[in-house]
Each structure stands twice: as C-alpha cells, then as structure tokens.
Amino acid sequence: QSALTQPASVSGSPGQSITISCTGTSSDIGAYNYVSWYQQHPGKAPKLMLYDVNNRPSGVSNRFSGSKSGNTASLTISGLQAEDEADYYCNSYARGDTMVFGGGTKLTVL
Amino acid sequence: QVQLQQSGPGLVNPSQTLSLTCVISGDSVSSNRATWNWIRQSPSRGLEWLGRTYYRSQWLNVYAESVKSRITINADTSKNEFSLQMNSMTPEDTAVYYCARSAPYQEWLDPWGQGTLVTVSS
C-alpha cells in the first residue's frame, strides 16, 4: 500500500486561506468516504481535525473544512491563525481493511 | 471518554523483538464497536499504519504488508489492553510508536496514545 501524496509544504499569511491536497488511488480515497485529517505540533501526538471527508469533531474550529473528488481529498483552512502552524496528515481507509497515511504537509504561517 | 496509555521499552537491540502495550480506559478491548490500531512515525517513513485487532464474534487481525511477516497484535481482555510485538528489529524501525482507536464505519483514529519513542541500537 503506497502512501498518499501530499505537498511537502504550504504557507500563508494570517487571515488567508490555504488548501492541502491528498492524492490516492481507486483502492483508498477513491473507494471510500473515510478520509480523515490530523494536525500535529512538534513533540505531540496527531490530533483528529476532520473525519469522513468533511466532518469536524467537537471542539475543532469551523475554519477547517474538507472535500473529495475522485482519488483526491483536500483540507482547507480559512482565516489562518498562528496556532495553525503545524504538520498535517491525511489518512484513508483502504481495501483489505487497512489504512494509509499521506506523507505530511508542513504549514507555515508567515 | 476513551483514553489510551502506552508502555514499553525505549531501547531495543538490533535483531531483538519489540513489545509495546496500550492500556484502554473508557472502553473495552473486546467491544464489537471498536478497533485497536498501531501506528508508527519516523522522519524517513512519516506516519505508517502498522495493523489492527478487533473482536467481531472472534478476534481478527489485519497487518500492513510492509511489516506483515514481523508483526503480531494481540488483545488481553483480562487487562483491557492490546499489544504490539515486532521481531527482527533493525535501526530502520526506530520511530515513535502510537496506539489509536477506530471503529467499524468510523474509520478515523481517535484517541491516540501518548507515543513511545523506540530506538533500535546496540
């Protein structure tokens, strides 16, 4: 199972919006609506930010949103804030009852 | 709420077996509404899903192809915990190892354990 493809880095200024893409295959993202996104600050465990493509857990800001088209999912963060600076990882359920992660994207808030 | 507490050694000798445990509070390891996962993270591999165990009238295990020949995930119902064993460890297996919960038709990972840094070195 190959890792999902994410850009290595993205950046934006406070208040702006950014989008992180996550490209998989017809065996993972394209096959299921089980895409989730995780935020990770240095030295911390990943934190769930979105599940089932575009659902937010309780407590996650509505500035975070998600979408999916074909084999590609996207995470959009609007109204960027300094606290959003972190690494972001996508994850998808995949055939064979497995899971696969993206390689991670470092978000820099300028 | 569900909490996961990991334990295990931080240093493993090359060729030896890694053993990590994840103790569950707020849920049952044998619940048919939960699935118990192991994930690791290293600078070279990023986040890598390793495998899962769950109970659906019987115990089932699924492992990632990359580690399938070296990994075993077990559940201990008496202690409400699940464990990871990985044999033939090499320096390339140096990583932070996490446990995490998912569920049928709820295929996201939450919560996560605190992580255990495992270094493979003599």
Side-chain angles (χ1 to χ4, degrees), chain A residues 59-86:
Chain A
V60 172
S61 170
N62 59 9
R63 298 184 297 104
F64 291 81
S65 62
S67 63
K68 190 189 93 166
S69 178
N71 297 337
T72 299
S74 297
L75 166 70
T76 297
I77 308 174
S78 59
L80 268 180
Q81 299 180 359
E83 68 205 48
D84 299 332
E85 185 163 294

mmCIF file of all heavy atoms in Angstrom, chain A residues 59-86:
data_model
loop_
_atom_site.group_PDB
_atom_site.id
_atom_site.type_symbol
_atom_site.label_atom_id
_atom_site.label_comp_id
_atom_site.label_asym_id
_atom_site.label_seq_id
_atom_site.Cartn_x
_atom_site.Cartn_y
_atom_site.Cartn_z
ATOM 1 N N GLY A 59 -15.225 20.619 19.057
ATOM 2 C CA GLY A 59 -14.093 21.412 19.514
ATOM 3 C C GLY A 59 -13.159 21.885 18.418
ATOM 4 O O GLY A 59 -12.304 22.737 18.668
ATOM 5 N N VAL A 60 -13.306 21.352 17.219
ATOM 6 C CA VAL A 60 -12.460 21.787 16.106
ATOM 7 C C VAL A 60 -13.122 22.971 15.408
ATOM 8 O O VAL A 60 -14.316 22.942 15.098
ATOM 9 C CB VAL A 60 -12.214 20.640 15.109
ATOM 10 C CG1 VAL A 60 -11.500 21.145 13.857
ATOM 11 C CG2 VAL A 60 -11.408 19.526 15.765
ATOM 12 N N SER A 61 -12.339 23.979 15.150
ATOM 13 C CA SER A 61 -12.847 25.214 14.563
ATOM 14 C C SER A 61 -13.486 24.972 13.194
ATOM 15 O O SER A 61 -13.019 24.139 12.407
ATOM 16 C CB SER A 61 -11.706 26.213 14.405
ATOM 17 O OG SER A 61 -12.099 27.326 13.640
ATOM 18 N N ASN A 62 -14.551 25.747 12.927
ATOM 19 C CA ASN A 62 -15.189 25.633 11.611
ATOM 20 C C ASN A 62 -14.362 26.297 10.516
ATOM 21 O O ASN A 62 -14.799 26.380 9.357
ATOM 22 C CB ASN A 62 -16.604 26.212 11.650
ATOM 23 C CG ASN A 62 -16.637 27.679 12.060
ATOM 24 O OD1 ASN A 62 -15.593 28.334 12.161
ATOM 25 N ND2 ASN A 62 -17.828 28.200 12.311
ATOM 26 N N ARG A 63 -13.174 26.774 10.854
ATOM 27 C CA ARG A 63 -12.252 27.267 9.829
ATOM 28 C C ARG A 63 -11.632 26.100 9.036
ATOM 29 O O ARG A 63 -11.030 26.314 7.994
ATOM 30 C CB ARG A 63 -11.141 28.095 10.462
ATOM 31 C CG ARG A 63 -11.634 29.343 11.179
ATOM 32 C CD ARG A 63 -10.472 30.200 11.707
ATOM 33 N NE ARG A 63 -9.665 29.518 12.709
ATOM 34 C CZ ARG A 63 -8.468 29.006 12.472
ATOM 35 N NH1 ARG A 63 -7.912 29.101 11.273
ATOM 36 N NH2 ARG A 63 -7.793 28.406 13.452
ATOM 37 N N PHE A 64 -11.797 24.904 9.580
ATOM 38 C CA PHE A 64 -11.267 23.708 8.930
ATOM 39 C C PHE A 64 -12.388 23.015 8.149
ATOM 40 O O PHE A 64 -13.454 22.748 8.700
ATOM 41 C CB PHE A 64 -10.677 22.734 9.954
ATOM 42 C CG PHE A 64 -9.429 23.241 10.607
ATOM 43 C CD1 PHE A 64 -9.490 24.135 11.663
ATOM 44 C CD2 PHE A 64 -8.179 22.820 10.161
ATOM 45 C CE1 PHE A 64 -8.328 24.618 12.263
ATOM 46 C CE2 PHE A 64 -7.017 23.286 10.759
ATOM 47 C CZ PHE A 64 -7.096 24.192 11.806
ATOM 48 N N SER A 65 -12.132 22.743 6.884
ATOM 49 C CA SER A 65 -13.135 22.072 6.066
ATOM 50 C C SER A 65 -12.448 21.123 5.097
ATOM 51 O O SER A 65 -11.249 21.254 4.820
ATOM 52 C CB SER A 65 -13.996 23.075 5.309
ATOM 53 O OG SER A 65 -13.196 23.843 4.423
ATOM 54 N N GLY A 66 -13.208 20.165 4.585
ATOM 55 C CA GLY A 66 -12.632 19.173 3.698
ATOM 56 C C GLY A 66 -13.527 18.867 2.522
ATOM 57 O O GLY A 66 -14.731 19.172 2.540
ATOM 58 N N SER A 67 -12.937 18.276 1.501
ATOM 59 C CA SER A 67 -13.685 17.871 0.325
ATOM 60 C C SER A 67 -12.974 16.701 -0.332
ATOM 61 O O SER A 67 -11.835 16.359 0.022
ATOM 62 C CB SER A 67 -13.831 19.037 -0.661
ATOM 63 O OG SER A 67 -12.548 19.432 -1.135
ATOM 64 N N LYS A 68 -13.658 16.094 -1.280
ATOM 65 C CA LYS A 68 -13.066 14.984 -2.028
ATOM 66 C C LYS A 68 -13.634 14.956 -3.435
ATOM 67 O O LYS A 68 -14.828 15.191 -3.641
ATOM 68 C CB LYS A 68 -13.382 13.650 -1.324
ATOM 69 C CG LYS A 68 -12.609 12.455 -1.879
ATOM 70 C CD LYS A 68 -13.113 11.141 -1.308
ATOM 71 C CE LYS A 68 -14.166 10.534 -2.230
ATOM 72 N NZ LYS A 68 -14.439 9.111 -1.900
ATOM 73 N N SER A 69 -12.756 14.681 -4.378
ATOM 74 C CA SER A 69 -13.176 14.487 -5.755
ATOM 75 C C SER A 69 -12.338 13.366 -6.348
ATOM 76 O O SER A 69 -11.105 13.481 -6.419
ATOM 77 C CB SER A 69 -12.985 15.771 -6.571
ATOM 78 O OG SER A 69 -13.353 15.551 -7.927
ATOM 79 N N GLY A 70 -12.996 12.290 -6.737
ATOM 80 C CA GLY A 70 -12.262 11.155 -7.274
ATOM 81 C C GLY A 70 -11.269 10.590 -6.279
ATOM 82 O O GLY A 70 -11.643 10.218 -5.162
ATOM 83 N N ASN A 71 -10.023 10.543 -6.684
ATOM 84 C CA ASN A 71 -8.970 9.982 -5.821
ATOM 85 C C ASN A 71 -8.229 11.032 -5.010
ATOM 86 O O ASN A 71 -7.195 10.727 -4.396
ATOM 87 C CB ASN A 71 -7.956 9.221 -6.679
ATOM 88 C CG ASN A 71 -8.558 8.019 -7.392
ATOM 89 O OD1 ASN A 71 -9.577 7.490 -6.960
ATOM 90 N ND2 ASN A 71 -7.952 7.616 -8.487
ATOM 91 N N THR A 72 -8.736 12.261 -4.996
ATOM 92 C CA THR A 72 -8.056 13.348 -4.291
ATOM 93 C C THR A 72 -8.962 14.007 -3.257
ATOM 94 O O THR A 72 -10.095 14.363 -3.543
ATOM 95 C CB THR A 72 -7.572 14.420 -5.282
ATOM 96 O OG1 THR A 72 -6.629 13.835 -6.199
ATOM 97 C CG2 THR A 72 -6.872 15.558 -4.549
ATOM 98 N N ALA A 73 -8.420 14.118 -2.045
ATOM 99 C CA ALA A 73 -9.099 14.829 -0.966
ATOM 100 C C ALA A 73 -8.347 16.120 -0.687
ATOM 101 O O ALA A 73 -7.159 16.253 -1.025
ATOM 102 C CB ALA A 73 -9.140 13.961 0.288
ATOM 103 N N SER A 74 -9.034 17.065 -0.071
ATOM 104 C CA SER A 74 -8.412 18.355 0.232
ATOM 105 C C SER A 74 -8.836 18.839 1.607
ATOM 106 O O SER A 74 -9.972 18.613 2.034
ATOM 107 C CB SER A 74 -8.791 19.401 -0.815
ATOM 108 O OG SER A 74 -8.314 19.052 -2.094
ATOM 109 N N LEU A 75 -7.914 19.513 2.262
ATOM 110 C CA LEU A 75 -8.163 20.185 3.529
ATOM 111 C C LEU A 75 -7.987 21.678 3.289
ATOM 112 O O LEU A 75 -6.957 22.092 2.749
ATOM 113 C CB LEU A 75 -7.173 19.712 4.593
ATOM 114 C CG LEU A 75 -7.098 20.552 5.869
ATOM 115 C CD1 LEU A 75 -8.360 20.392 6.706
ATOM 116 C CD2 LEU A 75 -5.861 20.167 6.696
ATOM 117 N N THR A 76 -8.980 22.463 3.674
ATOM 118 C CA THR A 76 -8.887 23.911 3.567
ATOM 119 C C THR A 76 -8.949 24.522 4.952
ATOM 120 O O THR A 76 -9.802 24.146 5.762
ATOM 121 C CB THR A 76 -10.010 24.483 2.689
ATOM 122 O OG1 THR A 76 -9.871 23.969 1.360
ATOM 123 C CG2 THR A 76 -9.941 26.004 2.643
ATOM 124 N N ILE A 77 -8.031 25.414 5.221
ATOM 125 C CA ILE A 77 -8.047 26.180 6.457
ATOM 126 C C ILE A 77 -8.247 27.638 6.079
ATOM 127 O O ILE A 77 -7.449 28.217 5.336
ATOM 128 C CB ILE A 77 -6.731 26.027 7.250
ATOM 129 C CG1 ILE A 77 -6.381 24.546 7.438
ATOM 130 C CG2 ILE A 77 -6.853 26.714 8.605
ATOM 131 C CD1 ILE A 77 -5.022 24.317 8.088
ATOM 132 N N SER A 78 -9.325 28.206 6.568
ATOM 133 C CA SER A 78 -9.603 29.609 6.278
ATOM 134 C C SER A 78 -9.254 30.466 7.483
ATOM 135 O O SER A 78 -9.170 29.968 8.614
ATOM 136 C CB SER A 78 -11.083 29.788 5.908
ATOM 137 O OG SER A 78 -11.900 29.354 6.977
ATOM 138 N N GLY A 79 -9.055 31.756 7.239
ATOM 139 C CA GLY A 79 -8.713 32.660 8.324
ATOM 140 C C GLY A 79 -7.509 32.182 9.118
ATOM 141 O O GLY A 79 -7.573 32.094 10.340
ATOM 142 N N LEU A 80 -6.425 31.891 8.415
ATOM 143 C CA LEU A 80 -5.233 31.335 9.055
ATOM 144 C C LEU A 80 -4.847 32.072 10.327
ATOM 145 O O LEU A 80 -4.870 33.318 10.376
ATOM 146 C CB LEU A 80 -4.055 31.376 8.092
ATOM 147 C CG LEU A 80 -3.789 30.166 7.209
ATOM 148 C CD1 LEU A 80 -2.573 30.423 6.346
ATOM 149 C CD2 LEU A 80 -3.631 28.907 8.025
ATOM 150 N N GLN A 81 -4.475 31.294 11.326
ATOM 151 C CA GLN A 81 -4.001 31.842 12.580
ATOM 152 C C GLN A 81 -2.632 31.242 12.898
ATOM 153 O O GLN A 81 -2.299 30.146 12.433
ATOM 154 C CB GLN A 81 -4.998 31.537 13.708
ATOM 155 C CG GLN A 81 -6.376 32.128 13.479
ATOM 156 C CD GLN A 81 -7.348 31.811 14.600
ATOM 157 O OE1 GLN A 81 -7.016 31.123 15.571
ATOM 158 N NE2 GLN A 81 -8.577 32.308 14.458
ATOM 159 N N ALA A 82 -1.880 31.934 13.708
ATOM 160 C CA ALA A 82 -0.533 31.473 14.047
ATOM 161 C C ALA A 82 -0.559 30.069 14.639
ATOM 162 O O ALA A 82 0.331 29.251 14.373
ATOM 163 C CB ALA A 82 0.119 32.452 15.014
ATOM 164 N N GLU A 83 -1.590 29.756 15.396
ATOM 165 C CA GLU A 83 -1.693 28.451 16.055
ATOM 166 C C GLU A 83 -1.942 27.314 15.075
ATOM 167 O O GLU A 83 -1.834 26.144 15.436
ATOM 168 C CB GLU A 83 -2.827 28.479 17.073
ATOM 169 C CG GLU A 83 -4.218 28.602 16.464
ATOM 170 C CD GLU A 83 -5.232 29.221 17.406
ATOM 171 O OE1 GLU A 83 -4.912 30.262 18.011
ATOM 172 O OE2 GLU A 83 -6.333 28.663 17.509
ATOM 173 N N ASP A 84 -2.272 27.649 13.825
ATOM 174 C CA ASP A 84 -2.493 26.617 12.821
ATOM 175 C C ASP A 84 -1.183 26.056 12.280
ATOM 176 O O ASP A 84 -1.181 25.034 11.593
ATOM 177 C CB ASP A 84 -3.314 27.160 11.645
ATOM 178 C CG ASP A 84 -4.687 27.649 12.059
ATOM 179 O OD1 ASP A 84 -5.234 27.134 13.064
ATOM 180 O OD2 ASP A 84 -5.219 28.556 11.397
ATOM 181 N N GLU A 85 -0.092 26.749 12.562
ATOM 182 C CA GLU A 85 1.202 26.276 12.072
ATOM 183 C C GLU A 85 1.512 24.921 12.695
ATOM 184 O O GLU A 85 1.620 24.780 13.913
ATOM 185 C CB GLU A 85 2.310 27.279 12.385
ATOM 186 C CG GLU A 85 3.653 26.887 11.787
ATOM 187 C CD GLU A 85 4.627 28.054 11.737
ATOM 188 O OE1 GLU A 85 4.379 29.021 11.001
ATOM 189 O OE2 GLU A 85 5.658 27.977 12.444
ATOM 190 N N ALA A 86 1.641 23.915 11.839
ATOM 191 C CA ALA A 86 1.803 22.530 12.291
ATOM 192 C C ALA A 86 2.006 21.653 11.059
ATOM 193 O O ALA A 86 1.996 22.131 9.920
ATOM 194 C CB ALA A 86 0.566 22.072 13.061
#
